[in-house]
Amino acid sequence: MFWNREIETIDRTALESLQFKKLSKALSDAASTPFYKKVFKENNVDVKKIRSLEHLKDLPFTTKADLRLSYPDGMVAVPRSEIVRMHASSGTTGKSTVIFYTAQDIADWADLIARSMMASGTTRDDVFQNMMGYGLFTGGLGLHYGAERLGCMVIPASSGNSLKQIQLMQDFHTTVIHITPSYALHLGDVVSEQGVNPPDLGVKRAYLGAEPYSEETRNKLQEQWGLTAYNSYGLSEMNGPGVSFECEEQCGMHIWEDFYIAEIINPDTGERLPDGEAGELVLTHINRAAMPIIRYRTRDLTRILPEPCACGRTHRRMERIKGRTDDMLIVGGVNVFPSQIESVLMKIPEVGNNYQIVLDRHENLDRLHIRVEIYSKMFQGDLKALERLKKKVVEELKALITVNPRIEFLEPGSLPPSTGKAVRVIDNRKI
Ligand code: ADP
Ligand code: ZN
């Protein structure tokens, strides 16, 4: 199903010339802002000399630190009276950054979300319960306006308050939800505790995003809820959700290339990598009047999947985010991503829906400690079974990450539940 077949299936040559046209405009808008005026001058950049998409790679990157430096409005390209809204990032890695939008920017974003949701079959007949936080965070309002644009009936539930969420689902026959994967796992448990089988709620489709998660978690959630889950990616610097979304094929997220130019770079050298190679995603926003951002280093690690998609969309896809460059853990010299640990845990059927990674240093040695909730019935069985399970978890983890973890099993509900972006890692080594 297409929201805008023409743009979604545009041929690559036409797409690239559209991108170049929009890039030229974004660059001249950017050059009018205090921040880019300075950066372009320092780097001897004359935006008029950027005569093809290829030249983009000669421009300097923009980083989160730059956004913080130009806080609050050093990157704004329109008069204050043109701005109708602001949002801020969640501040997962430090001070939040702020983003501004004109009325047209908001309308374009809503249209992009309508396109993204329809790509996996959502229509005006759906009842959409939005369980992402409303407010400065882009996940709530971003999908809210998009779903309204599509014509869904929107329930602006926001995150948390699980019993209320369940009641809304029951009373209004919610068919589509938008939720973080960590909250979806927790909410599924709360539904079961209420004596309701989650699939009986009749939710057909979930959009999962805002935090990294593994394919195993997707599978687990699909099973737990009896729905189909689609990955949704975005970041506030690029409007918020809607940078890339999965279509019905569920095999990577189409990057909406008429809004964003995507590059993959080697995070250490900054050098551009060819399609298919894993690295850091760099995005240029070519469709925002209020605040153009050029070559933004997302710190998110992924790969471009250049093969055509069976759905017919020509916009290239990106793979599930493996993690952020800054959430990679170095344990005793070995690089470990929390998503690797999660992928092992979530495919073990006895393992429940929450876990925590704790790092300590003892006599100069790093220690990796994983606290895992497992289903209560395991504690009622014999101790040997528990020991066997522990051995299995340790062995599977060791095989993947080469570090020997200490595993602690906990009863369900022992760890703090997440209703938004989960905090999985506690690194005591820095203190
Ligand atoms: P913050 O950077 O402070 O968390 P945002 O709220 O803008 O601020 O969050 C954007 C970030 O969330 C992305 O850069 C990415 O790391 C993460 N993210 C969003 N969607 C996904 C997704 N589908 N998979 C993995 N990570 C995601
Ligand atoms: Zn597709």
Side-chain angles (χ1 to χ4, degrees):
M1 244 185 285
F2 293 93
W3 172 253
N4 182 340
R5 182 186 292 269
E6 197 184 329
I7 194 73
E8 291 171 58
T9 60
I10 185 173
D11 78 60
R12 297 283 319 169
T13 320
L15 177 58
E16 280 166 21
S17 65
L18 177 66
Q19 280 187 316
F20 179 66
K21 210 171 111 207
K22 289 189 172 192
L23 173 66
S24 305
K25 161 104 173 57
L27 286 175
S28 68
D29 288 351
S32 74
T33 67
F35 172 79
Y36 282 109
K37 201 176 277 168
K38 184 163 166 279
V39 168
F40 289 166
K41 193 166 171 226
E42 280 167 5
N43 290 274
N44 288 321
V45 173
D46 178 358
V47 292
K48 289 195 200 72
K49 291 211 175 110
I50 306 294
R51 294 215 181 82
S52 77
L53 283 179
E54 199 43 36
H55 284 133
L56 182 63
K57 72 172 187 321
D58 303 329
L59 296 179
F61 295 116
T62 305
T63 63
K64 198 135 189 149
D66 292 330
L67 275 153
R68 288 182 182 136
L69 271 177
S70 64
Y71 183 92
D73 56 3
M75 288 190 194
V76 172
V78 295
R80 162 68 196 78
S81 55
E82 293 287 307
I83 291 169
V84 300
R85 201 195 296 170
M86 65 167 275
H87 274 292
S89 72
S90 316
T92 311
T93 56
K95 190 174 160 58
S96 289
T97 52
V98 204
I99 303 298
F100 299 92
Y101 310 75
T102 65
Q104 188 62 48
D105 295 339
I106 293 286
D108 289 348
W109 183 23
D111 207 66
L112 196 62
I113 298 290
R115 181 202 295 185
S116 305
M117 293 176 75
M118 199 169 227
S120 51
T122 299
T123 68
R124 55 184 301 124
D125 297 326
D126 281 298
V127 175
F128 173 65
Q129 188 163 330
N130 192 5
M131 295 190 251
M132 290 280 185
Y134 277 62
L136 287 172
F137 176 55
T138 51
L141 287 168
L143 259 81
H144 179 98
Y145 281 89
E148 280 190 356
R149 177 91 177 86
L150 184 55
C152 299
M153 173 176 134
V154 181
I155 307 178
S158 199
S159 61
N161 205 347
S162 301
L163 295 180
K164 180 83 185 175
Q165 301 282 6
I166 299 165
Q167 195 187 350
L168 288 167
M169 286 187 212
Q170 286 173 323
D171 293 353
F172 301 98
H173 309 289
T174 301
T175 54
V176 181
I177 59 176
H178 179 215
I179 187 166
T180 60
S182 56
Y183 186 39
L185 286 167
H186 172 65
L187 189 62
D189 281 348
V190 181
V191 173
S192 303
E193 278 161 24
Q194 299 302 304
V196 178
N197 187 21
D200 292 343
L201 290 171
V203 180
K204 291 185 304 202
R205 194 174 299 118
Y207 296 113
L208 303 178
E211 63 186 6
Y213 63 108
S214 58
E215 196 61 37
E216 287 73 13
T217 296
R218 181 213 311 251
N219 295 337
K220 188 164 187 166
L221 280 168
Q222 294 195 137
E223 195 143 310
Q224 183 185 22
W225 284 86
L227 47 67
T228 316
Y230 299 92
N231 201 357
S232 134
Y233 170 79
L235 58 161
S236 43
E237 292 80 359
M238 295 291 133
N239 282 6
V243 170
S244 62
F245 252 76
E246 272 184 333
C247 65
E248 259 156 343
E249 301 294 323
Q250 286 183 300
C251 57
M253 299 174 278
H254 288 283
I255 306 166
W256 299 126
E257 293 181 276
D258 54 326
F259 272 61
Y260 305 101
I261 298 179
E263 303 168 79
I264 300 287
I265 61 160
N266 174 329
D268 299 323
T269 63
E271 174 205 358
R272 194 192 268 184
L273 298 173
D275 281 1
E277 277 187 38
E280 179 180 347
L281 178 67
V282 170
L283 292 168
T284 298
H285 202 322
I286 50 172
N287 203 101
R288 188 168 56 201
M291 198 167 163
I293 296 190
I294 312 301
R295 300 197 86 200
Y296 183 66
R297 291 192 61 158
T298 65
R299 303 188 286 183
D300 292 323
L301 298 169
T302 183
R303 224 154 51 86
I304 303 271
L305 308 168
E307 304 78 27
C309 182
C311 72
R313 288 177 183 79
T314 47
H315 300 240
R316 289 174 307 165
R317 288 163 299 145
M318 60 185 248
E319 205 174 46
R320 172 183 297 292
I321 304 285
K322 188 173 164 203
R324 299 193 188 207
T325 47
D326 43 13
D327 71 17
M328 185 179 77
L329 308 168
I330 304 181
V331 187
V334 179
N335 298 346
V336 177
F337 281 99
S339 62
Q340 292 178 297
I341 296 178
E342 180 181 304
S343 68
V344 169
L345 296 178
M346 290 299 147
K347 68 173 188 236
I348 299 178
E350 294 89 345
V351 167
N353 288 343
N354 208 348
Y355 67 93
Q356 198 175 56
I357 300 167
V358 185
L359 289 153
D360 286 298
R361 188 163 286 153
H362 183 67
E363 291 173 353
N364 287 322
L365 287 178
D366 288 341
R367 288 197 308 199
L368 174 64
H369 177 174
I370 304 173
R371 311 179 73 206
V372 190
E373 288 184 7
I374 57 169
Y375 289 114
S376 316
K377 62 176 188 300
M378 287 305 296
F379 290 105
Q380 287 138 22
D382 67 312
L383 275 176
K384 281 213 187 83
L386 217 49
E387 278 313 309
R388 270 199 305 274
L389 178 63
K390 196 171 271 184
K391 205 162 152 236
K392 181 170 154 194
V393 176
V394 170
E395 271 166 14
E396 294 207 8
L397 279 168
K398 228 170 104 182
L400 187 71
I401 62 175
T402 71
V403 175
N404 198 359
R406 192 160 72 81
I407 302 291
E408 180 186 359
F409 285 152
L410 303 165
E411 295 261 8
S414 311
L415 294 171
S418 152
T419 56
K421 287 185 191 244
V423 181
R424 302 279 195 203
V425 180
I426 298 176
D427 195 341
N428 294 322
R429 297 175 303 180
K430 289 180 192 138
I431 305 164

